[in-house]
Amino acid sequence: MNADLPGPVLSNDAEQVTSDLHRHFNYTLGRFNTDEQQGYMLTALSLTVRDRLMERWRLTREAEIQDKPKRVFYLSLEFLLGRSLHNAILNLDVEESVRQALADFGCRLEDIESEERDAGLGNGGLGRLAACFMDSCATLNLPVRGYGIRYEYGMFHQSLCEGRQVEQPDHWLVEGNPWEIERLGRTRRIKFYGRTEFLHNAKGKIFARWVDTQDVLAIPYDMPIPGYNNDVVNTLRLWKAAATDEFNLQEFNEGDYSDAVAQKNLAEQITMVLYPNDTSESGKELRLRQQYFLASASLQDVISDWVKRNGEDFSEFANYHCFQLNDTHPTLAVAELMRILVDEYILDWDEAWEITTKTMAYTNHTLLPEALEKWSVRLVGELLPRLLDIIYEINARFMAVVAHRWPGDVDRQRRMSIIEEGHEPNVRMAYLAIAGSFSVNGVAALHSQLLTSGLFKDFYELWPEKFNNKTNGVTPRRWLSHCNPRLGNLVSDAIGDSWVTNFSDIKNIGEYAGDASFREKWFEVKQDNKKALAQLVKDKCNVDFDTSFMFDVQVKRIHEYKRQLMNLLHVIHLYDRIIRGEEDSVHPRCVLLGGKAAPGYALAKLIIKLTSNVAQVINSDKKVSERLKLVFLPNYRVSAMEVICPGTDLSEQISTAGKEASGTGNMKFMMNGALTIGTYDGANIEILDAVGEDHFFLFGLKEEEIADYRARNDPSTIISNDTDLNRVMNLLECGHFSLFEPGIFDPIIHSIRNAYDPWMVAADFRAYVQAQNKAADYYQNKQEWIKSSILNTAASGHFSSDRTISEYAKDIWGIKKR
Ligand code: 26Q
């Protein structure tokens, strides 16, 4: 940062913090009675902390304007931030003063913090990754800004009614959001519908105008992203949709008042709700409007800044900007940047394309072909006619490149075309992203390799230099320091606290694995964290978890490929062993499942119902529950994970090999000293490499074995040849878990018995049970288990998002620390 600028002035000492807290509580909020006002105390404290961010925020911005570095813009439809208060307190190093100030009011920091609602502006891994990345960019002092959408309703709230998922709207903004600053002055105008008009300019050059549009305003709300103890505050800019004033003028004048207001609502709908990751919802026009709204508002914002400072000369633009596309969701940015450059600043196509393909970079997050985004040409043409023209032009030129490289290979042209031909032609968004970007990356080594050998093979042959890997990571601030202070302090007492910002130093804790007294302290911390998790389970599920049992946890979105069902089959198998009198062979364990099912994903919802029913049977059987407990924890989210991962012994990462792009929950558990039971998939492979096979329970078919095995897969024979699995299936099939609703689990039974089961549940069951038995036996050896637990934390250095972001900065973005 520039040394000429004055530093922050607001003091962090307890006296100043206390006086600020009083001022906000009494004057900003007008509250005088502390008894019934905990919600207001949260706001007052947030404002007190925010004041300290404000000046650092301004200084960061001013330094950037002076230094003019190359900047990166992370475009994402999702930022799953969770809570902000504790993160800010930790990063500002003001916790002690805050505690003292609150004591003045008779309040405890933990109680106030737990009142804050999660900012749930994401579905799961992809959205949380964006949030971890923002944290790392600020901590590494990198000039990176996030651009996203300010959804009025975030990820739905999940509750259970008779064991079934019920979705409720998440109106997270009702009590106000002290972490956002509205910037009306930077409002943008976004075009929709209308048509393209072609005109000649004075020099006889043809140019296009997008006319008769229905415009919507985009209003930015900025959220501060503080770095850790470094006086840096970066920006996350979230856009909210609003109607323009003239939008309804005509109808208004015709006296059609209510229609005019309805039109206004239509505009504001755009940012009303986050779409759940739901295939049954795909192709919805509103989702496409969200995507264009984000792409257009963000690009206009960046370009207007450029023009203000540099005029309309774009020759240097690509040297100062990079746009990272978080999956294909913001990919319309490729066509939108072309539109702005060609239509609004009258650049030649080739010059504009050069700039676009030097600034765009695309990250892929999935290997499931059915999850690749497509939009019907008809819909794009109606909603965004000018963008469709541009996409066609991009494709025509791209097809010429393909034809030149593979003359006469018509099949390849058809395969690679950005426009998928057919009864209903589609725009293939991933292909548009690849053609328009200089970098394409996967999110774990296996995933990146499978992209180049499978999904994007043709493109890899054409442009091998574009493809690279960036293995995901998670921020050690939130996912160790903040969520597990006891473990963090134990580590710092032993090896110092450099690991907080230099996470590879965490390896040094490995030396303590051989120290018996250190192991005892490690064990005590884990026990305390298990108590906290048991309390959460008691509060939310009214089930008692015994902290002497092994805590076995699988929390993530519910999806068949993640195989929560296989986990359940194992739990039913343990239940079966106990009821048939083999209880002595079953080591005590508490199993916790959690996660949201997409509202339209019937089988995922049925898996939740099955979990609830099995839990009911197990937990209410006295003999069984002496050794086995099962719960489905409702409303899994960021703030729940902050309690869950510190208290977990065994982390379930059991996806069908080749299906989970990376996984990031696996990393959070590892950092907090859980051992993993997992398949050879996603980042599990790198976790296994880092910690070694002796401290990881590996099982199951590998990706390269699966293709071969698939043809011979015969679940019914596997079941009849495996006594244990046969008994489990009998329990399911005889209605043992559905006495009052016979047959409800038939779809689940069929999916397991299906010879074409893509997820290979039956095929991996035996190997899974063996790995589970090994884990249970190992847990009996307390000293060995603790050693492995310490070694897992010690080996997690590679999985910090600081490492990931340093790689993005160096290999893709070409940016340096400010
Ligand atoms: C698409 C169309 C319409 C509506 C919603 C969507 C949609 C939304 C979210 C599609 C996908 C997502 C989210 C995907 C996701 O979270 N993927 C995960 O990304 C993580 C971070 O890279 C990986 O670790 C996980 O393996 C991957 O599943």
Side-chain angles (χ1 to χ4, degrees):
M1 202 162 300
N2 195 298
D4 307 339
L5 295 164
V9 293
L10 272 181
S11 155
N12 275 358
D13 69 32
E15 214 172 305
Q16 178 75 51
V17 172
T18 307
S19 116
D20 291 351
L21 186 61
H22 276 274
R23 178 169 51 81
H24 281 303
F25 191 76
N26 296 334
Y27 296 99
T28 313
L29 303 176
R31 305 291 144 182
F32 300 95
N33 176 353
T34 52
D35 298 344
E36 25 101 40
Q37 319 257 22
Q38 205 150 75
Y40 293 104
M41 190 50 73
L42 169 65
T43 308
L45 179 58
S46 302
L47 292 172
T48 302
V49 172
R50 194 185 78 174
D51 289 344
R52 283 150 178 82
L53 293 178
M54 279 298 173
E55 45 183 359
R56 289 169 172 84
W57 205 358
R58 178 176 60 81
L59 294 171
T60 304
R61 206 162 26 220
E62 284 171 1
E64 197 168 284
I65 290 169
Q66 275 198 9
D67 300 346
K68 303 187 182 65
K70 180 176 187 183
R71 292 188 301 162
V72 171
F73 305 91
Y74 197 83
L75 305 191
S76 178
L77 270 282
E78 308 194 359
F79 287 90
L80 189 44
L81 298 169
R83 293 175 177 155
S84 291
L85 177 58
H86 190 80
N87 186 245
I89 291 175
L90 190 92
N91 287 11
L92 288 167
D93 197 16
V94 67
E95 181 169 337
E96 262 325 297
S97 300
V98 163
R99 284 188 188 280
Q100 285 185 39
L102 285 174
D104 229 41
F105 288 89
C107 294
R108 261 173 28 112
L109 180 57
E110 286 72 16
D111 298 334
I112 303 292
E113 284 174 346
S114 67
E115 298 270 312
E116 185 180 353
R117 301 184 61 144
D118 280 37
L121 309 185
N123 272 283
L126 167 151
R128 183 56 228 176
L129 185 76
C132 284
F133 279 6
M134 293 306 293
D135 180 84
S136 286
C137 290
T139 296
L140 293 169
N141 196 4
L142 292 169
V144 177
R145 173 189 293 178
Y147 275 115
I149 290 182
R150 180 183 178 275
Y151 300 106
E152 209 77 35
Y153 294 86
M155 189 62 205
F156 64 81
H157 180 280
Q158 174 196 57
S159 53
L160 292 186
C161 182
E162 291 174 359
R164 290 179 192 273
Q165 169 173 298
V166 176
E167 301 98 20
Q168 279 139 351
D170 163 48
H171 205 182
W172 70 295
L173 292 166
V174 270
E175 284 138 33
N177 175 12
W179 302 108
E180 65 183 15
I181 303 288
E182 185 186 62
R183 300 217 184 277
L184 283 174
R186 303 208 54 135
T187 298
R188 306 283 155 197
R189 178 180 277 266
I190 316 299
K191 299 179 190 228
F192 290 101
Y193 302 105
R195 62 194 170 82
T196 311
E197 193 175 75
F198 292 96
L199 301 163
H200 292 266
N201 71 4
K203 293 179 193 154
K205 193 172 159 185
I206 294 183
F207 69 98
R209 280 199 332 182
W210 184 359
V211 296
D212 297 341
T213 53
Q214 297 178 29
D215 298 355
V216 174
L217 299 181
I219 303 171
Y221 287 73
D222 287 355
M223 298 190 65
I225 307 289
Y228 179 78
N229 274 218
N230 65 355
D231 290 343
V232 171
V233 178
N234 280 349
T235 301
L236 171 60
R237 180 161 286 179
L238 302 178
W239 299 100
K240 172 194 160 94
T244 59
D245 281 342
E246 78 270 26
F247 199 87
N248 39 35
L249 208 63
Q250 192 180 351
E251 274 171 287
F252 202 79
N253 290 341
E254 284 162 10
D256 202 346
Y257 174 74
S258 43
D259 258 19
V261 175
Q263 288 282 321
K264 181 171 148 68
N265 285 338
L266 218 60
E268 285 166 4
Q269 237 181 37
I270 294 179
T271 53
M272 203 52 78
V273 60
L274 165 78
Y275 269 88
N277 167 13
D278 192 330
T279 36
S280 74
E281 289 273 347
S282 70
K284 290 281 170 71
E285 176 178 339
L286 183 57
R287 169 82 179 175
L288 186 62
R289 285 205 269 161
Q290 291 182 337
Q291 295 186 348
Y292 180 63
F293 178 79
L294 169 65
S296 182
S298 311
L299 285 172
Q300 288 187 45
D301 202 41
V302 172
I303 288 174
S304 80
D305 258 358
W306 173 263
V307 170
K308 217 183 294 162
R309 302 212 176 101
N310 303 276
E312 299 191 5
D313 176 0
F314 286 89
S315 55
E316 287 292 309
F317 184 82
N319 294 330
Y320 287 94
H321 299 85
C322 181
F323 300 96
Q324 189 70 41
L325 308 175
N326 199 18
D327 214 295
T328 50
H329 315 154
T331 292
L332 285 170
V334 169
E336 175 67 359
L337 182 54
M338 288 301 289
R339 185 191 69 79
I340 295 174
L341 295 177
V342 171
D343 292 0
E344 296 187 5
Y345 295 98
I346 326 293
L347 265 62
D348 287 337
W349 182 277
D350 290 332
E351 198 185 339
W353 186 243
E354 173 93 3
I355 291 171
T356 301
T357 52
K358 275 188 173 162
T359 52
M360 295 284 164
Y362 157 55
T363 305
N364 172 282
H365 297 265
T366 184
L367 279 156
L368 307 181
E370 66 270 25
L372 287 186
E373 233 186 334
K374 287 176 191 177
W375 288 103
S376 90
V377 164
R378 180 192 43 78
L379 182 59
V380 178
E382 220 172 275
L383 186 70
L384 308 165
R386 181 58 189 142
L387 270 87
L388 185 62
D389 299 340
I390 291 171
I391 291 169
Y392 268 121
E393 182 68 28
I394 292 172
N395 194 42
R397 290 165 186 252
F398 171 56
M399 285 293 98
V401 171
V402 174
H404 184 256
R405 167 72 203 267
W406 291 285
D409 194 343
V410 198
D411 190 49
R412 200 184 285 255
Q413 286 172 41
R414 190 189 43 73
R415 282 203 312 262
M416 295 180 76
S417 175
I418 294 168
I419 307 295
E420 176 187 59
E421 294 300 340
H423 172 64
E424 168 90 81
N426 286 310
V427 181
R428 293 162 160 157
M429 301 307 278
Y431 295 3
L432 178 59
I434 299 173
S437 299
F438 67 91
S439 165
V440 179
N441 76 281
V443 289
L446 174 72
H447 170 231
S448 297
Q449 184 246 309
L450 292 173
L451 287 181
T452 56
S453 64
L455 223 45
F456 300 150
K457 185 165 187 283
D458 288 320
F459 289 85
Y460 178 63
E461 288 174 13
L462 182 60
W463 292 313
E465 68 284 356
K466 286 192 187 188
F467 288 80
N468 64 95
N469 173 247
K470 293 288 168 282
T471 297
N472 284 167
V474 302
T475 168
R477 270 75 60 192
R478 184 173 297 257
W479 298 113
L480 187 50
S481 310
H482 152 177
C483 76
N484 198 347
R486 283 177 282 230
L487 200 69
N489 291 334
L490 179 60
V491 169
S492 295
D493 288 346
I495 63 168
D497 62 4
S498 63
W499 59 270
V500 178
T501 49
N502 200 350
F503 200 59
S504 60
D505 289 350
I506 198 75
K507 65 176 182 298
N508 297 329
I509 206 63
E511 286 163 27
Y512 290 78
D515 175 338
S517 79
F518 184 81
R519 283 203 301 272
E520 195 49 37
K521 291 185 198 155
W522 191 272
F523 175 76
E524 279 165 18
V525 168
K526 183 59 88 176
Q527 286 306 113
D528 278 351
N529 291 333
K530 287 173 75 169
K531 256 186 235 158
L533 176 50
Q535 188 61 51
L536 180 74
V537 168
K538 179 71 184 169
D539 294 345
K540 306 291 173 191
C541 312
N542 198 25
V543 172
D544 291 301
F545 267 19
D546 182 331
T547 54
S548 72
F549 290 19
M550 175 204 262
F551 281 16
D552 170 355
V553 176
Q554 185 175 23
V555 285
K556 49 184 77 231
R557 290 301 292 263
I558 312 292
H559 201 293
E560 287 163 276
Y561 84 78
K562 296 178 187 282
R563 298 200 291 195
Q564 282 93 352
L565 189 51
M566 193 169 71
N567 188 344
L568 275 180
L569 296 184
H570 170 250
V571 174
I572 296 171
H573 162 66
L574 293 180
Y575 165 77
D576 176 54
R577 265 160 62 182
I578 298 170
I579 56 172
R580 70 179 197 238
E582 292 177 18
E583 66 269 22
D584 291 344
S585 77
V586 176
H587 298 308
R589 77 164 90 195
C590 296
V591 181
L592 184 153
L593 270 82
K596 290 172 184 175
Y601 191 169
L603 204 89
K605 292 180 129 177
L606 199 55
I607 291 170
I608 294 176
K609 172 66 174 161
L610 178 60
T611 311
S612 309
N613 283 21
V614 173
Q616 184 77 47
V617 171
I618 288 178
N619 301 335
S620 56
D621 182 318
K622 180 138 191 321
K623 177 177 167 197
V624 175
S625 63
E626 275 166 11
R627 348 199 110 235
L628 183 62
K629 293 279 175 77
L630 171 65
V631 296
F632 186 89
L633 182 79
N635 205 33
Y636 173 62
R637 61 199 188 284
V638 173
S639 59
M641 185 56 156
E642 290 166 9
V643 181
I644 294 167
C645 69
T648 295
D649 293 310
L650 187 66
S651 151
E652 299 269 351
Q653 307 299 335
I654 60 177
S655 53
T656 313
K659 301 297 177 191
E660 189 71 274
S662 163
T664 44
N666 47 3
M667 302 168 183
K668 295 163 198 166
F669 285 115
M670 182 198 202
M671 265 181 201
N672 286 278
L675 277 64
T676 304
I677 181 166
T679 47
Y680 213 72
D681 197 19
N684 294 353
I685 298 175
E686 290 156 80
I687 289 178
L688 171 68
D689 272 357
V691 72
E693 285 197 33
D694 294 345
H695 314 286
F696 185 113
F697 305 101
L698 176 68
F699 74 95
L701 291 165
K702 299 204 159 64
E703 193 277 332
E704 67 269 20
E705 295 166 342
I706 281 184
D708 175 54
Y709 189 89
R710 214 174 273 291
R712 309 177 264 125
N713 189 19
D714 181 2
S716 285
T717 306
I718 296 173
I719 293 165
S720 50
N721 290 339
D722 184 320
T723 328
D724 293 333
L725 183 53
N726 203 9
R727 295 181 64 104
V728 169
M729 291 305 289
N730 281 340
L731 284 171
L732 276 174
E733 285 164 345
C734 78
H736 192 73
F737 303 108
S738 51
L739 291 176
F740 304 110
E741 294 170 279
I744 54 165
F745 297 125
D746 287 356
I748 287 183
I749 293 163
H750 291 147
S751 83
I752 300 168
R753 289 195 174 273
N754 173 12
Y756 301 101
D757 172 21
W759 321 116
M760 315 289 264
V761 170
D764 267 346
F765 177 77
R766 179 47 41 194
Y768 180 52
V769 170
Q770 281 167 355
Q772 284 286 15
N773 290 340
K774 197 172 155 191
D777 287 341
Y778 197 60
Y779 192 73
Q780 298 312 297
N781 188 342
K782 176 178 157 186
Q783 294 307 323
E784 287 304 307
W785 185 279
I786 304 171
K787 250 186 225 173
S788 291
S789 168
I790 297 169
L791 292 176
N792 264 274
T793 301
S796 68
H798 190 61
F799 305 103
S800 161
S801 46
D802 298 347
R803 186 272 310 152
T804 312
I805 285 299
S806 302
E807 291 179 10
Y808 274 89
K810 180 167 169 288
D811 305 341
I812 301 179
W813 301 338
I815 58 168
K816 294 212 176 65
K817 277 177 188 262
R818 276 184 291 234

